[in-house]
């Protein structure tokens, strides 16, 4: 009897361990994605890393009262196509512009020679210490002077204005603190909407935007002009 109970509980333990391990593997195989709308709300969804952007749209669209084909997924100022696989390139991104300052080159801004430097991708290899680089980013962010590049997204060039000096890997901007990095993505999305012919809500702090075809946008703009005229007329 004792042998039976020992065997029974041993098998039960093995089964429970197997179930826990399987459950853990299932959880680990899911990818948590946080989708932030241009209006500021955040949606969290768990998906298979092998799913496509089109599937993300199908999950998120009903929660926003939209159709999947009415949505655009934008990351750092670039639209992600429907056929892009979410976890296809899920690996560490090398920040190759952050390097040790072996030659003790002075920073463009503070003129000190940092141990670790940010090297701008220009012919002159201008450098900045990490602190000054972050200050440069925050200044340009506040002034809305980032570049909306069709290939690299929302990015910057060398402070000296050197030719062909766009920062290609936008993950370098993760050096910003969380608040400014969030601003970076929000501004990048808003700039994408504007350059794509869309409009943003004029209400301060709203952040909502609309993208549509030429006919729809013309109607919206004409409607807004009419409302503005009626409002101005009523004031008189």
């Amino acid at each position: 009897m004792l042998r039976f109970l020992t065997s029974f509980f041993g098998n039960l333990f093995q089964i429970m361990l197997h179930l826990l391990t399987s459950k853990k593997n299932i959880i680990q195989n899911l990818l948590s994605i946080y989708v932030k709308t241009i209006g500021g709300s955040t949606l969290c969804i768990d998906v298979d890393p092998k799913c496509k952007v089109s599937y993300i749209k199908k999950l998120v669209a009903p929660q926003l009262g939209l159709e999947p084909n009415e949505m655009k997924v934008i990351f750092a100022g670039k639209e992600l196509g429907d056929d892009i696989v979410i976890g296809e390139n899920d690996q560490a991104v090398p920040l190759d512009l952050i390097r040790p300052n072996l030659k003790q080159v002075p920073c463009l801004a503070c003129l000190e020679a940092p141990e670790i430097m940010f090297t701008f991708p220009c012919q002159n290899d201008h450098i900045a210490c990490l602190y000054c680089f972050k200050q440069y980013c925050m200044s340009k962010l506040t002034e809305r002077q980032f570049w909306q590049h069709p290939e690299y997204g929302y990015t910057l060039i060398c402070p000296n204005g050197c030719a062909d000096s766009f920062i290609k890997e936008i993950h370098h901007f993760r050096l910003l603190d969380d608040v400014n990095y969030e601003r970076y993505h929000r501004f990048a999305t808003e700039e994408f909407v504007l350059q794509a012919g869309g409009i943003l809500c004029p209400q301060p702090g709203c952040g909502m935007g609309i993208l549509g075809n030429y006919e729809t946008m013309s109607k919206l703009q004409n409607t807004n002009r009419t409302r503005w005229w009626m409002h101005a007329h009523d004031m008189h």
Side-chain angles (χ1 to χ4, degrees):
M1 183 67 177
L2 180 60
R3 181 180 299 177
F4 170 77
L5 290 175
T6 303
S7 176
F8 172 77
F9 283 112
N11 291 334
L12 181 62
F13 176 76
Q14 291 294 331
I15 293 172
M16 291 177 64
L17 183 62
H18 175 72
L19 289 174
L20 288 173
T21 304
S22 300
K23 186 176 181 181
K24 182 179 180 182
N25 289 336
I26 293 173
I27 294 175
Q28 288 180 340
N29 286 335
L30 292 179
L31 181 66
S32 294
I33 296 180
Y34 295 88
V35 181
K36 188 154 190 176
T37 68
I38 195 171
S41 59
T42 302
L43 304 174
C44 178
I45 53 176
D46 293 326
V47 297
D48 189 312
K50 296 180 181 179
C51 77
K52 296 183 178 181
V53 170
S54 57
Y55 180 71
I56 302 295
K57 290 183 178 181
K58 290 179 181 178
L59 290 179
V60 175
Q63 301 184 53
L64 300 176
L66 299 171
E67 294 295 329
N69 60 0
E70 296 177 325
M71 290 186 60
K72 289 184 180 293
V73 178
I74 303 166
F75 179 76
K78 294 190 295 183
E79 181 181 357
L80 303 183
D82 287 349
D83 293 331
I84 291 180
V85 178
I86 296 297
E88 188 171 26
N89 297 313
D90 189 15
Q91 56 187 354
V93 178
L95 302 181
D96 58 322
L97 299 181
I98 300 176
R99 307 167 186 171
N101 190 6
L102 301 178
K103 296 182 179 180
Q104 295 296 296
V105 181
C107 168
L108 274 174
C110 66
L111 302 181
E112 295 184 4
E115 293 183 4
I116 304 296
M117 63 182 183
F118 184 92
T119 306
F120 290 94
C122 59
Q123 292 182 349
N124 296 317
D125 290 329
H126 289 129
I127 75 118
C129 65
L130 298 186
Y131 174 80
C132 289
F133 173 71
K134 287 187 281 187
Q135 294 300 312
Y136 170 59
C137 292
M138 288 190 290
S139 173
K140 291 297 183 182
L141 196 60
T142 301
E143 297 170 0
R144 295 274 190 148
Q145 291 186 354
F146 269 65
W147 293 75
Q148 186 74 25
H149 194 280
E151 182 179 353
Y152 311 135
Y154 206 50
T155 188
L156 287 174
I157 61 173
C158 173
N160 277 13
C162 298
D164 300 323
S165 60
F166 285 103
I167 298 173
K168 299 177 183 179
E169 179 49 70
I170 53 89
H171 286 90
H172 284 98
F173 300 119
R174 195 62 186 90
L175 289 171
L176 293 167
D177 57 64
D178 291 343
V179 173
N180 283 293
Y181 189 62
E182 183 178 333
R183 287 175 68 213
Y184 164 78
H185 278 289
R186 178 161 56 87
F187 289 177
T189 304
E190 292 176 355
E191 192 63 31
F192 176 89
V193 171
L194 292 174
Q195 292 202 13
I199 57 175
L200 298 174
C201 176
Q203 181 69 26
C206 175
M208 290 297 290
I210 300 176
L211 272 175
N213 55 37
Y214 177 78
E215 182 180 356
T216 302
M217 298 308 298
S218 297
K219 288 181 179 179
L220 283 171
Q221 290 172 355
N222 289 333
T223 302
N224 288 336
R225 292 193 192 100
T226 303
R227 287 176 178 169
W228 177 86
W229 181 85
M230 291 176 64
H231 177 67
H233 180 74
D234 291 341
M235 289 178 64
H236 292 294

